[in-house]
Amino acid sequence: MDKSRADASQRFSEIIELNVGGQVYVTRHSTLLSVPNSLLWTMFSQKTPTELTTDSKGRFFLDRDGFLFRYILDYLRDQTLVLPDYFKEKASLLKEAEYFQLQELARRLRPAVSKENSISEEVCQIDPEEAAHAAKKTGYITIGYRGSYTIGRDIQQDAKFRRVARITVCGKTSLAKEVFGETLNESRDPDRLPERYTSRYYLKYNFLEQAFDRLAEMGFHMVACSSTGTCAYASNDPNEDKIWTSYTEYVFSRE
């Protein structure tokens, strides 16, 4: 009985949970073995479960880019590569492909030198007009923030605004990451898949103008905004200031 338990501990289950840079993935053991001699093939066929690093929940841990691993896993499933329009992480994905020792994927991602010694892309070869059309594909991101301000009994005085506590980001996960990159805090929704939508991301800085500048650089423009305000505190003493809270949203579109 003890021997059978020991043997079982040395085998991988059919369903494998991975923690890749904080992103959780669930896949079949056979998928990880689909490309012989790759890093994942070596890890999950030439080693035992006890030899691999795991996180606190027992998931096999890989200290790599969790967002880009989605494309690595997609490639392992059927050996095809499909990238979204306006994809700017091809160089980083090439780095991941080389790390996981996926030679064919790396070859498809690597720029090729033509006979005229010019660089051309082997993946997603499109003419300039098609490229411009892809770059203008519509997407929406909503920026929101809660603020507070005080108004004295003399309404002619300027309102005293307090610092914006947090700038939230709502929209498609992949689009939010494309625009804000490392400045995006994903701690409230860490396992959201790239093509799903979220309203729980927020930025690591508190300046609305910085967020607006970044959106403008990425081809977005504001199409709508709304704001509400409520009185959070009002004293019976007429000499005391009233404290108001507000919530404001700005909707940006890229067409």
Side-chain angles (χ1 to χ4, degrees):
M1 187 66 176
D2 291 340
K3 184 178 184 302
S4 63
R5 288 180 179 176
D7 292 340
S9 67
Q10 299 303 308
R11 297 194 300 267
F12 290 100
S13 62
E14 177 56 25
I15 304 300
I16 302 292
E17 291 190 33
L18 303 171
N19 178 346
V20 185
Q23 295 282 350
V24 176
Y25 291 88
V26 181
T27 187
R28 290 184 177 276
H29 181 240
S30 56
T31 299
L32 300 176
L33 305 184
S34 62
V35 178
N37 300 316
S38 66
L39 178 63
L40 292 170
W41 178 87
T42 300
M43 291 174 59
F44 289 92
S45 68
Q46 305 301 303
K47 295 184 178 182
T48 63
T50 56
E51 294 180 279
L52 301 181
T53 302
T54 57
D55 65 11
S56 60
K57 295 185 178 180
R59 296 175 293 216
F60 297 106
F61 179 76
L62 294 165
D63 189 15
R64 304 300 299 179
D65 190 312
F67 172 66
L68 292 177
F69 188 76
R70 173 208 172 180
Y71 302 104
I72 298 295
L73 195 57
D74 281 349
Y75 175 78
L76 292 176
R77 290 183 175 120
D78 52 18
Q79 277 73 67
T80 60
L81 175 64
V82 178
L83 299 178
D85 294 334
Y86 210 68
F87 186 73
K88 290 189 173 183
E89 302 291 335
K90 196 175 295 182
S92 297
L93 184 56
L94 170 60
K95 181 180 177 181
E96 295 302 299
E98 292 174 340
Y99 175 82
F100 286 107
Q101 299 170 17
L102 299 169
Q103 304 304 327
E104 176 60 22
L105 176 58
R107 185 190 68 79
R108 297 183 193 182
L109 291 166
R110 193 174 293 117
V113 180
S114 67
K115 293 181 180 179
E116 292 78 16
N117 293 322
S118 62
I119 300 298
S120 62
E121 295 286 352
E122 286 193 327
V123 179
C124 303
Q125 292 181 348
I126 55 179
D127 61 36
E129 291 185 1
E130 291 176 328
H133 177 72
K136 295 181 179 179
K137 187 174 180 180
T138 301
Y140 291 89
I141 287 180
T142 299
I143 299 297
Y145 77 92
R146 296 185 186 277
S148 63
Y149 53 93
T150 59
I151 297 179
R153 57 194 181 93
D154 182 0
I155 62 174
Q156 299 301 320
Q157 292 181 348
D158 292 336
K160 301 175 183 178
F161 287 90
R162 297 185 180 180
R163 185 170 64 94
V164 175
R166 178 176 291 177
I167 300 174
T168 61
V169 177
C170 310
K172 183 178 287 188
T173 301
S174 58
L175 197 60
K177 291 182 177 180
E178 174 195 331
V179 173
F180 294 107
E182 295 299 320
T183 64
L184 193 68
N185 192 319
E186 307 169 39
S187 61
R188 295 172 60 201
D189 202 1
D191 301 330
R192 180 68 59 176
L193 296 176
E195 296 308 311
R196 300 295 295 275
Y197 288 82
T198 182
S199 61
R200 298 177 60 82
Y201 287 167
Y202 61 93
L203 299 178
K204 296 179 180 178
Y205 51 80
N206 298 321
F207 299 101
L208 282 170
E209 293 80 5
Q210 187 175 348
F212 293 169
D213 285 345
R214 181 58 181 168
L215 285 159
E217 290 172 3
M218 299 301 291
F220 285 80
H221 64 279
M222 188 187 302
V223 294
C225 68
S226 65
S227 182
T228 60
T230 58
C231 184
Y233 173 76
S235 171
N236 292 326
D237 186 348
N239 295 316
E240 286 194 30
D241 294 342
K242 291 183 179 180
I243 300 177
W244 292 73
T245 62
S246 66
Y247 179 70
T248 305
E249 285 188 336
Y250 302 92
V251 181
F252 289 82
S253 170
R254 182 171 66 194
E255 300 179 349

